[in-house]
Amino acid sequence: MYQALRVSRSEFVPVRNLDYHVRLWGQPSATRPPLVLLHGWMDVGASWQFVVDALAEERFVIAPDWRGFGLTEGGGVDNYWMPDYLADLDWLLDHYVGQAGAPESVAVDLVGHSMGGNVAMHYAGVRPQRIRRLVNLEGFGMPGLAPSEAPQRYGKWIDELKRLHRGEMALAAYPAADGVARRLMKTNPKLTQDKADWLASHWAGTSLNADGNERWEILGDAAHKIINAHIFRVDEVLALYACITAPLLAVEAADDSLSKWWKGRYSLDEYHARLKSVKDARVARIEDAGHMLHHDRPARVAELIQDFLAG
């Protein structure tokens, strides 16, 4: 199994009636801002371990488990909304670096992957003064939808809620941790066995079946599978991007995730066109990597991050 080089510690922070689980590495510094790492959909804060280990120098790193993922409970909801992640992040930064606008508050270096990258981009437009440098790892956003698609979208949202409540969207459970590891490697063929074994112990937890036997369950609320009821509006996203003042590094993997996901409905060219709304944006590409590039090429991801943050 993978052996962590830099050992993390955990703490729980009160955020909007939830106890937010946060993983921390290093110690606060008076000369260097915190590095905040935001995980993606069906991931956990511990997933950043490989990148943290690959950093050339120790940093004070803050990596929360989003609500309904990892060790952060979801609060009993049956679906999740993007604005909640923005507010949760604001609460967390209040805790670690001071209230927004307060004299003692410091701007952070913010990195997000996938869903976390989308949250980071939106948040940097909402609270630009809180971000010193911004890194987006494959947080592409979604294909734009026309207003005429709203009625069907709402109907699909309601139908999925009903399926969730009937138990039809429950996540699979596994008899042992090695089953979780195999699932991770099936989803990402580039993931090595040692890293899969390590991740499995953080992505899943144990519970008991009715017969008393142990099972391993993914630490992610099935309600995250419910689509967003609102249509994705590109004009709104571009308005948020235009308010970003921090320099942006947008990192993408050589394996074109968008082509695989959207089959021509949304492309890298469209994503790059959206990035033009950001005042200071540059794009980097990582070879021999898929969407989970922080697992596939952590040393290269760490190199890109630290070089960009030092600039």
Side-chain angles (χ1 to χ4, degrees):
M1 184 181 293
Y2 180 85
Q3 297 297 312
L5 301 178
R6 293 186 168 112
V7 179
S8 68
R9 60 193 185 277
S10 292
E11 66 181 29
F12 288 86
V13 178
V15 173
R16 304 176 58 213
N17 300 322
L18 295 174
D19 287 329
Y20 241 81
H21 177 248
V22 182
R23 195 166 294 275
L24 305 169
W25 291 265
Q27 299 297 329
S29 168
T31 59
R32 181 177 287 178
L35 174 59
V36 181
L37 305 178
L38 307 179
H39 71 78
W41 188 80
M42 287 298 166
D43 203 347
V44 293
S47 188
W48 292 103
Q49 181 70 55
F50 313 134
V51 172
V52 172
D53 282 346
L55 293 172
E57 298 180 350
E58 184 172 291
R59 292 283 302 259
F60 177 47
V61 179
I62 302 167
D65 289 343
W66 288 124
R67 56 172 58 213
F69 290 119
L71 300 182
T72 302
E73 294 186 354
V77 301
D78 61 3
N79 63 142
Y80 292 84
W81 301 83
M82 173 67 82
D84 278 323
Y85 302 121
L86 305 181
D88 292 352
L89 180 56
D90 207 54
W91 251 256
L92 287 167
L93 293 186
D94 286 349
H95 176 81
Y96 286 106
V97 300
Q99 295 281 332
E104 70 277 8
S105 180
V106 298
V108 303
D109 292 329
L110 185 62
V111 179
H113 170 251
S114 194
M115 184 193 84
N118 293 323
V119 174
M121 294 288 287
H122 291 198
Y123 184 80
V126 174
R127 295 278 200 240
Q129 73 279 10
R130 305 203 79 169
I131 312 303
R132 190 188 76 96
R133 293 284 189 277
L134 177 64
V135 180
N136 177 11
L137 307 176
E138 297 241 320
F140 300 121
M142 305 282 285
L145 297 176
S148 60
E149 297 179 72
Q152 183 180 11
R153 183 83 176 184
Y154 280 115
K156 184 177 180 181
W157 173 69
I158 294 170
D159 291 341
E160 289 191 357
L161 287 173
K162 290 181 177 180
R163 288 183 58 211
L164 176 75
H165 284 271
R166 290 195 298 262
E168 297 171 5
M169 300 182 77
L171 301 177
Y174 303 85
D178 61 355
V180 180
R182 285 195 299 271
R183 173 57 188 269
L184 293 173
M185 294 175 72
K186 180 179 179 181
T187 302
N188 178 15
K190 296 180 185 295
L191 185 64
T192 58
Q193 184 73 59
D194 62 330
K195 289 177 180 169
D197 289 338
W198 189 90
L199 285 170
S201 66
H202 294 276
W203 278 37
T206 59
S207 63
L208 295 178
N209 292 317
D211 59 8
N213 290 321
E214 185 178 76
R215 65 178 179 180
W216 284 74
E217 297 179 311
I218 301 298
L219 296 175
D221 188 347
H224 285 289
K225 296 166 70 174
I226 303 295
I227 65 165
N228 195 314
H230 294 158
I231 60 172
F232 187 86
R233 296 186 51 177
V234 176
D235 55 351
E236 182 177 311
V237 170
L238 297 183
L240 287 165
Y241 284 9
C243 291
I244 296 173
T245 57
L248 165 68
L249 175 65
V251 183
E252 56 199 42
D255 292 359
D256 185 354
S257 301
L258 288 183
S259 294
K260 297 175 183 177
W261 294 338
W262 299 113
K263 310 297 183 185
R265 288 183 53 207
Y266 181 37
S267 67
L268 276 175
D269 287 342
E270 291 178 84
Y271 169 61
H272 293 159
R274 294 179 189 181
L275 291 180
K276 292 179 181 179
S277 294
V278 181
K279 298 177 179 67
D280 182 358
R282 65 211 73 176
V283 176
R285 175 185 167 105
I286 295 184
E287 300 299 329
D288 192 27
H291 182 60
M292 304 299 283
L293 69 180
H294 58 314
H295 296 166
D296 300 343
R297 298 287 306 280
R300 182 58 180 145
V301 170
E303 181 184 30
L304 284 172
I305 290 173
Q306 61 199 12
D307 288 351
F308 177 67
L309 298 185

